């Protein structure tokens, strides 16, 4: 007889599993994410143009992209291959390179001469005409050559806040340019006076150059820039800022790309790429430059230009900005045609090509480097929303013209704009925040990442001090306190080695907390599947922590530490998944680094047994003092409080006294404890000062009232009693008589109070 197993039936799902959908700029809606090759995801992220210090806009973009990357790989389990470029050939870099600097010009000035003064004055005229005039209304722009005569009038107008606001709307750098011109104007006037008085020493000459450095820099480079022929000058500038960028990214805990590409390393491939586009009929050459033919491409049956922002095709401002400040656009067939290859002018870096010496256009680099690494299609392309048009639209057009395909990118993920305190970040608005100097000295990398997590990645973000000191600080404090309590509970439970008593501790409250964990895990997944809704996901964690805190406070000695530990480990792992972790990844919670950057876990493991002994001794002393109840009890309890509040706090130790007489020993960053103690002390002092001020105000009011009563009513009226007529001899009305009688009675009462106060004072 053959025994067979019973037929097995697969289980039915209780509910459908949520599917990851992402907001795709190509469709302006949320689309289901479907990688082409199983779990492998090919991802290209637009990197920085390295010509200046990284700022908060970079932090918003690259930290946010890092968060999305971590969610995709560490939560959803995709195998991400992440490629990022460095733009180290660009108009901005050429303009930023080592120019003919004012310092070099300064060293050549050995005396103050009329020729030097004329040179600076000419530079000032040119600077006002080319820079300051950008912010002026057309009717107020001084005619060429009359800038000096018009300056005083402009200074008067600039004192009007409304006028200046309108100027800043026309040119956000107006304030910076106007300030530079004003400083140089004053320097020229002073130098002119020196020259008239015969003061021509080298110090006077160099002072003129120093105060006019900004206006001189522009004219000196224009005059002598063509002599700067060494391309290494541009590359050295880019190399310096690239290093600074990655230092900032490391401090922000942004993961490095799997593959990093630089434009200077791909110039031969760029030339070949452009040649193929020309051969395919989508580009043409003009005077050594090569332009992409947008009309030819757009008219093709299998192609479409400006897929991301078709409404921006005719936006002249965006098109010109995309071509760069040094571009010569003459000869193009249409204004929308953009440079694939630029003929280099004197003073610009150059490389050989079939069209002559030149350099790559801005947009072509990403098409070439992404194609070289990822091929003719990628799953994800990401970058800031400000790059959507024309940069990303041009990228796709070039790549699709090269590969003759109709879909080079499957999903475009664009991070939203960043504003500072409600305004666009700008140097002229004095809200330009660099990463290295201004932001990381004030806020930690964890706090910045939390701020970005609490905003939708593709929405506009308003970065404000209230956000950092309010919501972000509250989240960090809540999580730190939660993990500190849970670790202390676990440590205490293990130290006590409680023997099994034949009873389990898994009852209704434990079952409810476990159900809350399961529900939180479901809602967390639903939030992240909804186009990476990190604000909702973080709020799920906050709600679960709050629920667990209620459980801990309500169960006391009956709580099941294992259930609490399970919740804590899941919450900590999700926070670490977002990139919020510090220290040893195996540490419960999200970890915490000490001020010197070392991991606090090792110190806690070493010191905790000794602290527990000390705490146990203190527990015994307190119990004894409480039970005896004699005169020594108060002093003994005061000593116990001193150990808790003064001696152990600077060491990072918190003793939480519990109802059973045992303190819960917690290990916390000393700086956090001291700061919290100082904040509490300042609050108490502020409250006391407010109370004292109120008491003093009340005392002054009382003194004033008593002072009014120092005069008896008889001195305010004549011996004949209350007046019956006014100053003109007219008889008082009935109401006026009542009023005088009331005043007389009130003064009598005040005087009696005054006499009583004087008698008491004696």
């Amino acid at each position: 007889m053959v025994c067979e197993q019973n037929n097995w039936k697969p289980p039915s799902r209780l509910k459908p599993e949520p599917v990851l959908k992402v907001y795709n700029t190509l469709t302006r809606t949320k689309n289901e994410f479907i990688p082409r090759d199983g779990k492998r995801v090919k991802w290209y992220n637009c990197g920085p143009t390295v010509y200046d210090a990284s700022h908060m806009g970079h932090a918003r973009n690259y930290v946010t992209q890092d968060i999305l990357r971590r969610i995709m790989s560490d939560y959803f389990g995709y195998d991400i291959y992440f490629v990022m470029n460095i733009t180290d050939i660009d108009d901005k870099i050429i303009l930023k390179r080592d120019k003919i600097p004012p310092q070099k010009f300064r060293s050549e000035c050995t005396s103050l001469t009329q020729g030097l003064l004329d040179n600076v004055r000419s530079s000032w005229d040119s600077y006002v005409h080319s820079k300051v005039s950008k912010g002026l209304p057309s009717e107020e722009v001084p005619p060429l050559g009359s800038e000096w005569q018009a300056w005083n009038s402009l200074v008067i107008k600039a004192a009007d806040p409304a006028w200046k606001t309108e100027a800043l709307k026309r040119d956000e750098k107006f304030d910076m340019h106007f300030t530079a011109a004003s400083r140089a104007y004053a320097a020229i006037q002073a130098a002119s006076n020196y020259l008239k008085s015969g003061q021509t020493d080298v110090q006077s000459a160099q002072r003129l150059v120093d105060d006019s450095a900004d206006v001189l820099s522009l004219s000196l480079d224009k005059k002598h820039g063509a002599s700067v022929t060494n391309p290494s000058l541009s590359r050295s500038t880019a190399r310096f800022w690239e290093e600074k960028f990655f230092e900032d990214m490391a401090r922000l805990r942004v993961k490095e790309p799997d593959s990093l590409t630089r434009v200077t390393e791909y110039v031969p491939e760029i030339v070949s790429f452009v040649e193929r586009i020309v051969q395919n009929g989508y580009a043409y050459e003009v005077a050594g430059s090569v332009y992409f033919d947008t009309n030819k491409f757009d008219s093709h049956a299998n192609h479409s230009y400006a897929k991301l922002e078709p409404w921006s095709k005719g936006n002249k401002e965006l098109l010109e900005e995309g071509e760069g400040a040094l571009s010569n656009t003459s000869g193009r067939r249409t204004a929308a045609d953009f440079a694939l290859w630029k003929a280099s002018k004197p003073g610009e870096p150059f490389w050989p090509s079939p069209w002559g010496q030149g350099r790559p256009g801005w947009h072509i680099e990403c098409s070439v480097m992404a194609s070289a690494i990822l091929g003719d299609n990628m799953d994800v392309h990401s970058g800031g929303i400000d790059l959507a048009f024309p940069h990303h639209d041009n990228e796709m057009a070039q790549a699709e013209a090269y590969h003759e395909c109709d879909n080079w990118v499957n999903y475009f993920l664009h991070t939203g704009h960043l504003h500072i305190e409600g305004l666009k970040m700008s140097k002229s608005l004095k809200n330009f925040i660099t990463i290295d100097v201004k932001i990381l000295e004030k806020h930690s990398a964890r706090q910045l990442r939390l701020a970005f997590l609490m905003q939708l990645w593709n929405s506009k973000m308003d970065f404000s001090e209230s956000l950092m000191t309010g919501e972000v600080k509250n989240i960090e404090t809540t999580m730190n306190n939660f993990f500190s309590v849970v670790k202390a509970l676990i440590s205490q439970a293990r130290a006590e080695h409680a023997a099994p008593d034949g009873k389990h501790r898994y009852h209704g409250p434990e079952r409810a907390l476990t159900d809350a964990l399961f529900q939180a895990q479901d809602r967390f997944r639903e939030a992240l599947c909804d186009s990476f809704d990190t604000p909702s996901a973080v709020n799920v964690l906050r709600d679960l922590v709050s629920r667990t805190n209620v459980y801990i406070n309500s169960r006391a000695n009956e709580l099941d530490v294992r259930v609490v530990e399970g919740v804590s480990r899941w919450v900590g792992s999700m926070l670490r998944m977002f990139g919020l972790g510090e220290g040893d990844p195996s540490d419960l919670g999200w970890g915490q680094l000490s001020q010197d950057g070392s991991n606090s876990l090792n110190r806690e493991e070493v010191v905790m047994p000794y602290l527990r002994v000390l705490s146990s001794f203190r527990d015994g002393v307190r119990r004894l003092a409480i039970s005896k109840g004699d005169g020594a009890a108060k002093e003994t309890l005061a000593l116990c409080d001193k150990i808790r509040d003064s001696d152990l706090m600077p060491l990072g130790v918190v003793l939480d006294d519990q109802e059973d007489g045992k303190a819960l020993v917690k290990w916390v960053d000393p700086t956090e404890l001291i700061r919290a103690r100082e904040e509490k002390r300042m609050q108490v002092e502020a409250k006391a000062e407010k109370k004292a001020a109120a008491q003093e105000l009340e005392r002054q009011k009382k003194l004033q009232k008593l002072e009014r009563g120092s005069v008896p009513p008889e001195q305010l009226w004549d011996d004949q009693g209350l007046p019956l007529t006014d100053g003109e001899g007219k008889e008082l009305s009935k109401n006026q008589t009542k009023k005088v009688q009331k005043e007389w009675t009130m003064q009598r009462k005040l005087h009696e109070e005054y006499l009583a106060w004087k008698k008491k004072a004696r």
Side-chain angles (χ1 to χ4, degrees):
M1 179 177 177
V2 179
C3 293
E4 295 182 355
Q5 288 180 303
N6 292 330
N7 290 334
W8 175 84
K9 295 181 180 179
S12 301
R13 292 184 183 273
L14 295 176
K15 57 183 177 181
E17 184 176 354
V19 175
L20 173 61
K21 293 184 177 181
V22 300
Y23 185 84
N24 184 5
T25 319
L26 284 165
T27 62
R28 300 280 164 171
T29 189
K30 297 174 185 177
N31 301 127
E32 180 180 351
F33 184 71
I34 305 173
R36 291 184 67 193
D37 188 11
K39 299 288 284 186
R40 183 173 295 107
V41 174
K42 296 190 293 183
W43 189 329
Y44 183 84
N45 185 47
C46 264
T49 300
V50 282
Y51 70 99
D52 208 341
S54 305
H55 51 70
M56 270 299 295
H58 293 115
R60 155 71 163 161
N61 183 44
Y62 294 108
V63 172
T64 299
Q65 297 293 348
D66 184 71
I67 290 170
L68 301 186
R69 178 185 177 188
R70 289 172 185 266
I71 293 172
M72 292 281 278
S73 61
D74 300 346
Y75 185 78
F76 288 113
Y78 288 107
D79 300 318
I80 307 292
Y81 192 76
F82 194 86
V83 182
M84 189 179 82
N85 74 293
I86 292 291
T87 298
D88 56 355
I89 303 175
D90 187 77
D91 289 19
K92 295 185 182 74
I93 298 172
I94 296 171
L95 291 170
K96 187 77 177 184
R97 67 167 192 245
D98 295 333
K99 304 176 181 180
I100 304 296
Q103 289 78 10
K104 183 175 183 296
F105 179 73
R106 180 182 189 271
S107 65
E108 297 170 353
C109 297
T110 57
S111 64
L112 181 61
T113 64
Q114 186 62 48
L116 172 61
L117 190 61
D118 292 343
N119 193 344
V120 176
R121 166 68 187 278
S122 175
S123 298
W124 184 89
D125 289 342
S126 177
Y127 188 87
V128 171
H129 181 75
S130 61
K131 297 295 184 183
V132 177
S133 293
K134 289 181 179 179
L136 303 179
S138 57
E139 65 275 11
E140 294 181 9
V141 174
L144 187 62
S146 63
E147 293 84 4
W148 188 265
Q149 292 76 14
W151 186 250
N152 285 331
S153 173
L154 292 177
V155 170
I156 294 171
K157 291 176 180 177
D160 179 2
W163 185 90
K164 198 168 188 178
T165 299
E166 292 302 314
L168 285 168
K169 288 179 181 178
R170 299 183 196 96
D171 178 21
E172 64 177 22
K173 296 182 180 180
F174 174 78
D175 193 41
M176 180 176 68
H177 295 320
F178 195 86
T179 300
S182 296
R183 188 168 55 248
Y185 181 87
I188 294 169
Q189 284 188 316
S192 179
N193 291 332
Y194 293 151
L195 198 60
K196 290 176 182 177
S197 65
Q199 186 177 334
T200 61
D201 55 277
V202 64
Q203 289 81 8
S204 298
Q206 293 181 347
R207 187 160 49 246
L208 171 62
V209 174
D210 291 342
D211 291 343
S212 308
D214 290 328
V215 302
L216 278 171
S217 179
L218 186 69
S219 62
L220 287 174
D221 189 63
K222 186 175 181 180
K223 184 176 181 180
H224 303 288
S227 63
V228 184
T229 58
N230 187 355
S232 65
L233 290 176
S234 296
R235 288 199 290 272
S236 64
T237 299
R239 190 157 47 244
F240 172 82
W241 290 113
E242 179 187 335
E243 290 176 2
K244 293 296 182 183
F245 169 80
F246 279 112
E247 287 174 7
D248 289 339
M249 293 302 105
R251 294 172 70 188
L252 291 171
R253 297 176 194 150
V254 172
K255 294 170 66 176
E256 292 188 357
D258 297 307
S259 182
L260 180 69
T261 63
R262 298 180 183 86
V263 184
T264 52
E265 298 169 354
Y266 278 82
V267 174
E269 288 85 351
I270 290 173
V271 171
S272 299
F273 203 94
V274 173
E275 284 186 295
R276 169 80 70 85
I277 295 175
V278 173
Q279 291 169 6
N280 290 347
Y282 300 112
Y284 57 92
E285 185 262 343
V286 177
S289 295
V290 180
Y291 294 98
F292 190 85
D293 193 332
T294 53
N295 281 342
K296 182 72 175 293
F297 178 82
D298 206 21
S299 63
H300 195 283
N302 296 327
H303 295 310
S304 177
Y305 178 63
K307 293 179 178 179
L308 293 170
E309 294 187 7
W311 52 85
S312 295
K313 283 183 181 181
N315 190 319
K316 184 178 180 181
E317 183 178 351
L318 290 177
L319 291 168
E320 289 181 355
E321 184 179 341
E323 287 304 278
L326 300 176
S327 294
N328 179 6
T329 56
S330 60
R332 291 183 304 172
R333 294 174 182 173
T334 70
D337 292 356
F338 54 90
L340 304 177
W341 183 263
K342 297 180 178 181
S344 291
K345 297 188 287 294
E348 297 180 357
F350 58 84
W351 286 261
S353 80
W355 315 283
Q357 293 179 337
R359 55 190 176 91
W362 175 34
H363 315 294
I364 192 67
E365 61 185 61
C366 290
S367 303
V368 174
M369 294 185 291
S371 295
I373 306 295
L374 302 177
D376 61 359
N377 179 265
M378 69 182 76
D379 298 292
V380 177
H381 193 319
S382 59
I385 188 61
D386 55 308
L387 298 179
F389 183 89
H391 185 55
H392 288 155
D393 269 323
N394 290 353
E395 268 189 54
M396 283 192 292
Q398 294 163 153
E400 291 168 8
Y402 175 88
H403 296 293
E404 284 290 11
C405 65
D406 58 359
N407 197 33
W408 187 53
V409 177
N410 297 337
Y411 300 89
F412 241 116
L413 309 184
H414 284 108
T415 54
H417 287 294
L418 175 81
H419 283 196
I420 307 295
E421 302 287 356
L423 299 172
K424 182 179 177 181
M425 188 172 65
S426 166
K427 290 180 180 178
S428 61
L429 295 179
K430 306 293 190 293
N431 65 353
F432 191 83
I433 305 176
T434 56
I435 295 173
D436 57 344
V437 177
K438 294 187 178 179
I439 195 65
L440 284 176
E441 289 183 356
K442 193 170 187 180
H443 305 292
S444 69
R446 172 184 282 173
Q447 290 167 342
L448 284 175
R449 190 170 285 248
L450 273 172
F452 298 144
L453 279 163
M454 295 313 295
Q455 312 288 324
L456 288 175
W457 62 275
N458 59 325
S459 297
K460 185 183 79 172
M461 175 184 178
D462 186 19
F463 182 83
S464 64
E465 195 60 28
S466 61
L467 169 66
M468 301 305 294
T469 57
E471 186 174 27
V472 168
K473 184 64 178 176
N474 289 338
I475 295 173
E476 186 177 40
T477 301
T478 297
M479 294 301 173
N480 281 336
N481 290 342
F482 173 66
F483 294 132
S484 178
V485 169
V486 173
K487 285 196 285 187
L489 289 170
I490 295 170
S491 178
Q492 180 176 285
R494 290 173 180 170
E496 292 177 350
H497 300 295
D501 56 6
K503 299 178 182 178
H504 70 78
R505 281 179 164 70
Y506 196 86
H507 300 289
E510 287 70 34
R511 188 173 295 109
L513 182 58
T514 303
D515 288 343
L517 170 62
F518 294 160
Q519 292 166 12
Q521 289 170 330
D522 290 344
R523 289 190 293 122
F524 189 83
R525 178 172 288 273
E526 289 168 1
L528 294 188
C529 282
D530 186 16
S531 191
F532 314 115
D533 183 358
T534 56
S536 296
V538 172
N539 284 330
V540 168
L541 300 181
R542 295 169 74 179
D543 292 344
L544 181 59
V545 166
S546 177
R547 178 74 178 269
T548 308
N549 283 332
V550 171
Y551 167 79
I552 292 172
N553 294 330
S554 64
R555 295 294 282 167
N557 292 334
E558 296 300 316
L559 68 80
D560 189 327
V561 175
R562 290 185 181 275
V563 176
V564 174
E565 182 179 359
V567 171
S568 178
R569 290 201 177 278
W570 181 74
V571 172
S573 66
M574 294 303 97
L575 291 172
R576 287 182 179 276
M577 179 271 295
F578 284 138
L580 295 167
E582 294 178 347
D584 191 333
S586 64
D587 185 17
L588 183 143
W590 61 359
Q592 196 164 359
L593 294 178
S594 61
Q595 284 294 93
D596 60 5
S598 62
N599 185 5
S600 62
L601 175 64
N602 294 333
R603 288 195 298 159
E604 182 176 352
E605 289 178 343
V606 172
V607 177
M608 186 59 77
Y610 302 95
L611 296 177
R612 194 169 289 109
V613 170
L614 174 62
S615 177
S616 179
F617 165 76
R618 178 178 172 276
D619 295 340
V621 172
R622 289 182 71 251
R623 283 194 296 268
L624 184 62
I626 293 170
S627 64
K628 292 294 181 182
D630 54 19
K634 184 178 290 186
E635 294 181 9
T636 307
L637 288 173
L639 286 172
C640 293
D641 291 343
K642 180 178 179 295
I643 292 176
R644 178 193 63 195
D645 299 333
S646 301
D647 299 338
L648 292 178
M649 186 173 287
L651 300 176
V653 180
V654 174
L655 300 181
D656 274 353
D657 293 324
Q658 302 178 100
E659 292 182 2
D660 61 0
K662 295 180 180 179
L664 189 64
V665 184
K666 297 192 292 186
W667 185 267
V668 182
D669 185 355
T671 56
E672 290 293 325
L673 286 177
I674 294 171
R675 181 161 59 245
R677 183 178 67 181
E678 286 301 302
E679 288 176 356
K680 185 175 181 181
R681 180 185 63 78
M682 291 171 66
Q683 289 173 358
V684 171
E685 290 179 355
K687 188 175 180 181
E689 289 176 1
K690 186 177 180 181
K691 183 178 180 181
Q695 290 174 340
E696 176 62 20
L697 181 62
E698 189 63 30
R699 190 181 73 84
Q700 292 294 336
K701 287 181 179 178
K702 188 174 181 180
L703 286 174
Q704 290 174 5
K705 184 177 179 182
L706 288 168
E707 188 64 31
R708 288 201 306 271
S710 64
V711 181
E714 291 81 6
Q715 292 184 16
L716 299 177
W717 288 270
D718 57 28
D719 295 337
Q720 298 177 4
L722 297 176
L724 298 176
T725 59
D726 60 18
E728 297 178 355
K730 295 180 181 178
E731 184 179 352
L732 295 178
S733 67
K734 190 175 181 180
N735 286 337
Q736 287 174 323
T737 302
K738 284 184 178 180
K739 183 179 178 182
V740 172
Q741 288 173 340
K742 186 176 180 181
E743 289 175 353
W744 193 95
T745 304
M746 177 61 71
Q747 186 63 29
R748 166 57 61 189
K749 184 179 179 181
L750 289 174
H751 186 60
E752 289 173 353
E753 289 177 356
Y754 172 77
L755 293 175
W757 174 73
K758 290 283 287 185
K759 184 177 180 181
K760 186 178 179 181
R762 292 196 192 98

